[in-house]
Amino acid sequence: MNEKKTYKIKKILLAAGESKRFGDKNKLLEIINGRPIINHILDTLLEIFDPSELIVIVGHEHKIIKDLIFNKGIKILENIDYRKGIGTSIALGVKKLNTDIDGVMIIPADMPYINSKDLVNLEKKFMEFNCVKVVMPEHNSRIGNPVVLPRNYFNTLKSLKNDFGARSLIRKKDIITLKTGFGTIFDIDTKEELAETKANY
């Protein structure tokens, strides 16, 4: 009987940005329900994934962010080029992957409503297609995050620069979408969105 292949999928949490649209504070340090925003998504990830599967990319106020990551099993990478934009953080994370990694889930740290069920289902869908398709969450006809990408996109991801993500470089024929909850399309970019989250979380 053939053994079922085990796939290795790293989760890269993007926590290096300057929160330019938010204003004079680092939005990831803002408190919702007694915890900084970054800890909401971190706690959700650690509910379902082993710490060794996670990489956190830090940059802006990296010392404070590092202090909020209590689990020593999580790999933390410092992006010295974080001011150039999100592309540099994605590229750094992918460059540091071992050669046996089959895929990568790229997760913005400013999405506190993402739930563990959606994360598990995105990874499961990715593995159902033998880790060769790009899996994107969809809610109310809107594509959200996180996105799971296969190894054959790693070179593309390594070449990202500036404030430029991978989405426009993905071939349509490679995309599979999965219906998910509201948390996959809601991120906190402004103080108004923070106030809305605090009121409803």
Side-chain angles (χ1 to χ4, degrees):
M1 195 166 115
N2 288 336
E3 279 188 37
K4 195 172 178 183
K5 177 169 169 47
T6 22
Y7 294 111
K8 290 187 178 178
I9 297 143
K10 281 282 186 183
K11 290 83 194 176
I12 297 178
L13 186 67
L14 303 174
E18 294 180 272
S19 310
K20 283 178 183 172
R21 280 179 285 175
F22 190 77
D24 54 351
K25 292 183 177 179
N26 187 338
K27 63 185 176 183
L28 298 183
L29 305 177
E30 292 290 324
I31 305 295
I32 298 173
N33 263 14
R35 289 179 297 156
I37 286 172
I38 187 173
N39 289 104
H40 285 271
I41 187 70
L42 261 178
D43 291 349
T44 301
L45 288 164
L46 289 169
E47 279 173 29
I48 45 174
F49 301 126
D50 190 87
S52 64
E53 296 175 57
L54 309 185
I55 298 173
V56 181
I57 311 294
V58 299
H60 180 54
E61 297 190 322
H62 60 92
K63 288 180 182 172
I64 303 171
I65 298 287
K66 280 180 184 176
D67 285 344
L68 294 172
I69 302 168
F70 299 113
N71 195 302
K72 301 296 181 199
I74 297 173
K75 187 172 190 173
I76 301 172
L77 298 175
E78 187 182 335
N79 177 14
I80 58 171
D81 292 322
Y82 70 88
R83 287 186 182 88
K84 293 179 181 175
I86 196 170
T88 61
S89 289
I90 296 170
L92 174 64
V94 176
K95 282 173 187 170
K96 298 295 183 181
L97 295 178
N98 292 338
T99 53
D100 62 343
I101 299 300
D102 298 290
V104 63
M105 181 185 288
I106 297 174
I107 310 154
D110 61 353
M111 302 183 77
Y113 284 110
I114 287 177
N115 64 55
S116 53
K117 181 184 170 187
D118 284 339
L119 292 171
V120 167
N121 287 340
L122 285 164
E123 184 175 66
K124 198 181 286 182
K125 180 65 72 176
F126 183 67
M127 292 191 286
E128 277 173 21
F129 284 86
N130 301 314
C131 301
V132 296
K133 292 290 186 181
V134 177
V135 179
M136 295 182 172
E138 181 186 345
H139 180 77
N140 286 351
S141 302
R142 280 178 59 191
I143 297 296
N145 283 296
V147 174
V148 196
L149 297 110
R151 189 210 304 261
N152 62 337
Y153 271 92
F154 285 2
N155 283 337
T156 300
L157 297 175
K158 287 176 191 175
S159 69
L160 292 176
K161 294 172 184 163
N162 306 325
D163 205 16
F164 190 69
R167 198 161 291 184
S168 63
L169 303 174
I170 295 168
R171 296 180 292 272
K172 280 188 180 175
K173 67 181 180 65
D174 291 340
I175 296 171
I176 301 287
T177 59
L178 178 72
K179 292 282 193 296
T180 53
F182 166 72
T184 59
I185 61 165
F186 181 83
D187 59 357
I188 294 175
D189 281 328
T190 65
K191 288 188 167 70
E192 289 73 27
E193 286 164 343
L194 175 66
E196 182 187 334
T197 305
K198 284 185 173 183
N200 298 304
Y201 198 85

